[in-house]
């Protein structure tokens, strides 16, 4: 089969596409990441080593854009057997390669996000009502994985679903449940230990580690680009958000900016971290990522990270 390019920023839709492909053909599934030492050998072996009675195979290259330029060229030049689907996930479309593009609305496009929520409710066989859609958007926000996990929890209620149930069941997000967890860790709060089990139950290990890594990398970018001071004004935060391409609510919380009516006290991270400490945390997250992909225990790995951050 030809190579399939899944482009765009909706990782959930890409994941669903691949799962459906594997299910449709009852195919062998091979997932490949750019940090695998034998990544090219795995792909080449699976593409070429097809016997007469072999079943179909889906090779899922999750982060194709992170491969070396020479490796990408080599992969794109491979002759793919009729029994193989070579899926290349990217943010930008690969020129000359057919496939599907899955794009999320921009964070400020409220109506488009509500349409997306409506589609997700339908896919799960749930009621599509205006008050339910509004509640989900207001409390979960523009986060496809958070929405997916919260809507999945509602399936048990099916036809009995109503707003009162949502108020009891849905986690109220500030940015997202994972962001709440990340900030609990970076703000060194004791609640991070309690939130850990909940997050591990709700999210895939790879997504948790990826989000934690992105969180601390964003903090590091802010740390090296901002003058350390005790308080900031909104125009500074808005400007920094655009320059560093980090959502303004996250920048605000990193810098200890308190919104009107906000009940909790945000922590100015510039005052509690050093550049060296952030580098050490990011290095540890790199090794945790490798460990989790190799079958390591996510909860134990992250528990040790929380202890390290609080103690060092």
């Amino acid at each position: 089969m030809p190579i399939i390019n899944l482009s765009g920023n909706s990782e959930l839709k890409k994941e669903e596409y691949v799962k459906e492909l594997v299910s449709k053909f009852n195919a062998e599934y091979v997932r490949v990441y750019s940090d695998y030492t034998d990544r090219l050998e795995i792909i080449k072996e699976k593409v070429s080593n097809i016997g007469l009675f072999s079943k179909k195979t889906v090779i899922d290259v999750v982060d194709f854009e992170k491969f070396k330029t020479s490796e990408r060229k080599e992969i794109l030049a491979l002759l793919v057997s009729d029994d193989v689907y070579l899926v290349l996930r990217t943010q930008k479309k690969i020129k000359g390669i057919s496939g599907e593009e899955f794009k999320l609305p921009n964070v400020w496009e409220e109506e488009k996000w509500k349409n997306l929520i409506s589609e997700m409710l339908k896919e799960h066989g749930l009621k599509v009502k205006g008050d339910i859609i509004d509640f989900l958007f207001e409390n979960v926000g523009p986060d496809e994985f958070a929405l997916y996990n919260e809507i999945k929890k509602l399936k048990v209620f099916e036809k009995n679903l109503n707003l009162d149930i949502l108020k009891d069941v849905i986690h109220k997000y500030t940015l997202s449940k994972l962001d709440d967890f990340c900030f609990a860790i970076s703000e060194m709060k004791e609640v991070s230990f309690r939130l850990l089990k909940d997050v591990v139950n709700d999210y895939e290990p790879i997504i948790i580690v990826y989000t934690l890594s992105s969180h601390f990398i964003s903090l590091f970018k802010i740390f090296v680009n901002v003058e350390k001071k005790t308080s900031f004004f909104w125009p500074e935060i808005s400007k920094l958000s655009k320059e560093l391409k980090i959502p303004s609510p996250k920048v605000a919380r990193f810098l200890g900016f308190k919104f009107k009516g906000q009940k909790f006290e945000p922590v100015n991270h510039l005052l509690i971290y050093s550049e060296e400490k952030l580098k050490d945390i990011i290095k540890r997250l790199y090794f945790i990522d490798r460990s989790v992909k190799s079958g390591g225990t996510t909860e134990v790995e992250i528990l040790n990270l929380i202890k390290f951050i609080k103690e060092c």
Side-chain angles (χ1 to χ4, degrees):
M1 296 296 292
I3 298 171
I4 302 170
N5 176 213
L6 301 184
S7 59
N9 61 349
S10 176
E11 298 304 322
L12 178 62
K13 288 295 182 184
K14 292 176 190 175
E15 195 74 29
E16 289 176 343
Y17 181 99
V18 172
K19 284 181 179 177
E20 188 175 333
L21 192 63
V22 173
S23 175
K24 181 179 178 181
F25 296 106
N26 189 27
E28 176 189 359
Y29 177 61
V30 181
R31 197 175 181 103
V32 183
Y33 290 90
S34 60
D35 61 355
Y36 286 5
T37 54
D38 53 351
R39 53 192 176 273
L40 270 181
E41 288 73 19
I42 293 172
I43 295 169
K44 287 179 181 178
E45 190 270 332
K46 289 296 179 181
V47 163
S48 60
N49 189 22
I50 303 297
L52 184 61
F53 302 106
S54 297
K55 65 189 297 188
K56 291 187 182 295
T57 303
V58 173
I59 306 169
D60 185 13
V61 184
V62 177
D63 51 358
F64 183 67
E65 284 165 325
K66 291 185 179 180
F67 279 64
K68 296 176 183 176
T69 303
S70 59
E71 293 175 335
R72 294 201 298 269
K73 288 180 179 177
E74 194 171 345
I75 291 168
L76 290 171
L78 289 172
L79 294 175
V80 182
S81 163
D82 288 343
D83 291 315
V84 174
Y85 292 85
L86 178 55
V87 179
L88 306 178
R89 301 198 203 186
T90 60
Q91 293 292 305
K92 295 181 180 179
K93 288 182 180 179
I94 303 174
K95 191 175 180 180
I97 303 296
S98 61
E100 299 281 346
E101 183 179 24
F102 300 111
K103 291 182 70 175
L104 290 170
N106 293 309
V107 292
W108 60 84
E109 294 179 310
E110 182 175 330
E111 286 308 311
K112 289 185 180 180
W113 274 101
K114 287 183 178 180
N115 289 338
L116 182 61
I117 292 169
S118 175
E119 290 173 15
M120 293 172 80
L121 287 166
K122 285 178 184 175
E123 288 169 2
H124 285 80
L126 294 168
K127 280 184 182 179
V128 180
K129 291 176 63 178
D131 56 353
I132 289 175
I133 293 169
D134 291 343
F135 184 90
L136 283 166
F137 181 77
E138 289 166 11
N139 289 274
V140 181
D143 182 320
E144 63 172 343
F145 278 103
L147 286 165
Y148 174 80
N149 281 291
E150 293 300 323
I151 289 172
K152 192 168 65 171
K153 289 195 307 191
L154 299 174
K155 282 197 74 170
V156 295
F157 299 101
E158 296 183 343
K159 295 179 180 179
N160 297 317
L161 185 63
N162 58 53
L163 204 55
D164 289 332
I165 289 172
L166 264 71
K167 289 175 181 176
D168 288 337
V169 174
I170 294 297
H171 172 85
K172 188 166 184 178
Y173 289 60
T174 49
L175 297 167
S176 79
K177 185 185 293 187
L178 270 178
D179 279 319
D180 274 347
F181 177 59
C182 290
F183 274 110
I185 292 177
S186 63
E187 292 171 351
M188 305 182 202
K189 293 180 177 175
E190 289 297 323
V191 71
S192 58
F193 293 104
R194 179 176 60 79
L195 291 174
L196 175 57
K197 188 171 288 292
D198 189 29
V199 167
V200 168
N201 287 336
D202 282 354
Y203 293 89
E204 292 291 325
I206 292 167
I207 299 298
I208 298 171
V209 179
Y210 170 80
T211 307
L212 269 170
S213 299
S214 296
H215 181 85
F216 279 98
I217 288 169
S218 293
L219 175 55
F220 183 78
K221 285 180 182 177
I222 293 171
F223 195 91
V224 298
N225 283 283
V226 179
E227 178 188 353
K228 186 184 291 188
K229 56 182 183 177
T230 55
S231 62
F232 293 83
F233 296 103
W234 182 253
E236 296 174 285
I237 290 166
S238 182
K239 183 184 178 197
L240 191 61
S241 170
K242 290 175 183 175
E243 289 174 352
L244 298 182
K245 293 181 172 55
I246 301 171
S248 54
K250 291 192 76 168
V251 176
R253 187 158 174 181
F254 275 132
L255 297 179
F257 181 88
K258 187 174 182 179
F259 291 96
K260 186 177 180 180
Q262 188 172 292
K263 293 181 180 179
F264 66 90
E265 288 293 331
V267 176
N268 185 339
H269 289 59
L270 299 187
L271 305 180
I272 61 173
Y273 283 92
S274 67
E275 187 172 332
E276 286 306 310
K277 181 171 181 176
L278 287 173
K279 285 180 179 178
D280 286 341
I281 292 167
I282 292 167
K283 284 177 187 173
R284 278 180 169 257
L285 280 162
Y286 169 76
F287 289 111
I288 290 172
D289 180 63
R290 292 183 65 86
S291 172
V292 167
K293 286 175 183 175
S294 301
T297 307
T298 311
E299 193 167 346
V300 173
E301 296 279 8
I302 297 176
L303 180 63
N304 289 334
L305 175 71
I306 296 171
K307 289 177 179 176
F308 170 76
I309 292 171
K310 287 175 68 66
E311 292 169 3
C312 72

